[in-house]
Each structure stands twice: as structure tokens, then as C-alpha cells.
Amino acid sequence: MTHSLLRPGLMRGLGRGVEWEFDQVTFDREFSRNMVAKLLVERAEHGGWELDRVQIGPDGKRRVVLRRKIIRAVRTA
């Protein structure tokens, strides 16, 4: 399993005031579907990530893109 945090320039807004942070994770074909699901659930529960897209390549590798909202603090005073 490898992962790389995408450059901050690849953060994109999908609506009014919503910004997303993306993380790309690659799983080798040796990982079973159940193992990949467990690892992704763990990242979702502990890191606040949600599934954006999954791509399975011809070599059997799963390329998964996760996303989570960036919440900016707004000064009130």
C-alpha cells in the first residue's frame, strides 16, 4: 500500500465555501477486497476521509482517491 498527499493546489471547491483535501492511496493486487475495505473504513473513521473514486488498473492495482472537507475558522470578533 502506498499513498501520497496531493499538492495543495489540487484542492478544489465544489460549491459555496466548500473546499476538499484529497489523498490518493494505491493497493497492490495482493490485497483482498475485504482487506482494502477494512483499511479504508479505518481511514474514514479515524481521519474523516470519504471515498471519492476507485480505479482498478489492468495490472490489478486499486487506485483510490479519498477526500475530506477543509473547514476554515472564521473570525467572529
Side-chain angles (χ1 to χ4, degrees), residues 35-49:
M35 179 59 73
V36 170
K38 286 179 186 178
L39 292 169
L40 292 175
V41 165
E42 177 132 347
R43 289 181 62 103
E45 289 179 351
H46 297 292
W49 294 98

Side-chain angles (χ1 to χ4, degrees), residues 23-74:
D23 189 16
Q24 185 174 3
V25 185
T26 303
F27 296 98
D28 290 328
R29 66 180 306 153
E30 288 83 28
F31 284 88
S32 70
R33 184 176 181 179
N34 288 335
M35 179 59 73
V36 170
K38 286 179 186 178
L39 292 169
L40 292 175
V41 165
E42 177 132 347
R43 289 181 62 103
E45 289 179 351
H46 297 292
W49 294 98
E50 61 185 50
L51 190 63
D52 186 55
R53 67 181 60 106
V54 177
Q55 181 182 20
I56 301 175
D59 56 355
K61 287 187 179 179
R62 291 177 177 90
R63 289 165 191 82
V64 179
V65 178
L66 304 169
R67 70 179 185 182
R68 67 179 168 188
K69 285 184 184 177
I70 299 173
I71 301 171
R72 305 261 185 224
V74 177

